[in-house]
Structure formats: structure tokens, C-alpha cells
Amino acid sequence: MKDINYLVMDVDGTLTDGKIYMGNTGEFCKAFHIKDGCGIHDILIPSGITPIIITGRKSEIVQNRCNELGITKVYQGITNKMETLLSVTSDLSKVAYIGDDINDLSCMCAVKEAGGLIGCPSDAVEKILDISHYVAGRKGGEGAVRDFIEWLME
């Protein structure tokens, strides 16, 4: 395993299937895969890697899931993911990053250029698929994060 201190994760399309269920009062629900949660809570955190969420949307549902899993570094409503990432660490070589769409591209390119590791779900957009070190065998919200965690631990 490469010397990684942080796993940065996008939410919609990575930890979820990317669908946003809206009701009359706003976001109604999100579905998270139990295998991703187990990978974060039972494999990643005990190994000493800090999980970080950086997402463009704000959701109490995401905060509740993070609380369940022990994710304490949660950044929601972020328009500039790179700025947020650099506020956490300037050593991007110690970062693994998993995302699925162009709003993750600048962070993923910077992490890759610095010598960190990047991965994506199998249904990520083409630009993300093309630059990733690891493409999960699963789609976003279907265990892709767990796949990436297991790959990191090899």
C-alpha cells in the first residue's frame, strides 16, 4: 500500500448512485451502499487513513451518514473543491481521491500529478475514467468506494 493519509470522497455519483430524490420540501432521500460504509468504518479508519467528504451539495442526510461512519471531516456546499482540499493538506502525494464527474477533475489531476492515487466508479464520466489509476468494478452507490479502499489496502 502506498503511504496514504487521506481518502477524499465525493458523494453524489460516488457514495450514491447520483440520483437526487426531491420532495415538496427539498431532498427526500439518498441511498448509500452498506459495503462502502463497512469499508470506511471497519477498514479505512482502523488502518489510520482519514476519510474526508468534499461535496458540492448540502444535505443533512449526508451528515447523518457521516456521523454513523465516524467521518468527522465533512465539507458540504463546496464550489471550489481544490481550495478545500488544500486547506486539509498541502501534501497531495498522501491523498487518495475518488470521484465521478468534472467537478472532481481539478482535484484528481492535482492529486495524480503530486503522486497521490485516484479512482472512480465504473460509471464515471469519460474524462475521469481516462485519468484514474483505478476504475472500480462497480458503479457509484453500489460499492465502488469499497472496491477502491480494498485496492488501496493491497
Side-chain angles (χ1 to χ4, degrees):
M1 180 180 84
K2 187 171 172 47
D3 189 21
I4 296 295
N5 293 340
Y6 304 100
L7 173 58
V8 178
M9 296 166 277
D10 177 43
V11 175
D12 294 314
T14 303
L15 280 168
T16 75
D17 63 8
K19 295 176 183 167
I20 300 168
Y21 298 90
M22 301 291 284
N24 290 335
T25 58
E27 188 174 61
F28 177 67
C29 69
K30 291 183 183 286
F32 297 92
H33 202 289
I34 197 73
K35 286 185 174 51
D36 290 335
C38 183
I40 293 165
H41 185 269
D42 298 337
I43 299 171
L44 191 73
I45 294 173
S47 76
I49 297 174
T50 301
I52 299 171
I53 298 292
I54 304 178
T55 182
R57 296 180 54 83
K58 284 187 180 183
S59 169
E60 191 62 32
I61 296 166
V62 170
Q63 187 60 57
N64 291 340
R65 183 63 172 147
C66 289
N67 292 344
E68 284 183 342
L69 298 177
I71 302 172
T72 59
K73 294 186 180 298
V74 182
Y75 304 92
Q76 297 195 67
I78 303 302
T79 55
N80 186 336
K81 289 187 175 190
M82 179 61 75
E83 183 178 286
T84 302
L85 177 59
L86 292 173
S87 76
V88 173
T89 181
S90 59
D91 188 356
L92 299 181
S93 70
K94 305 284 188 190
V95 172
Y97 193 111
I98 184 166
D100 72 303
D101 213 333
I102 58 172
N103 61 339
D104 297 304
L105 189 59
S106 64
C107 287
M108 293 175 86
C109 286
V111 167
K112 184 174 185 174
E113 185 175 308
L117 298 171
I118 57 172
C120 66
S122 64
D123 60 340
V125 299
E126 196 71 30
K127 286 183 179 182
I128 300 296
L129 290 165
D130 289 345
I131 65 163
S132 291
H133 293 111
Y134 180 79
V135 177
R138 301 169 198 251
K139 295 179 180 180
E142 296 182 4
V145 171
R146 173 66 174 269
D147 285 354
F148 189 50
I149 289 169
E150 288 181 353
W151 180 77
L152 290 172
M153 297 298 145
E154 290 179 349

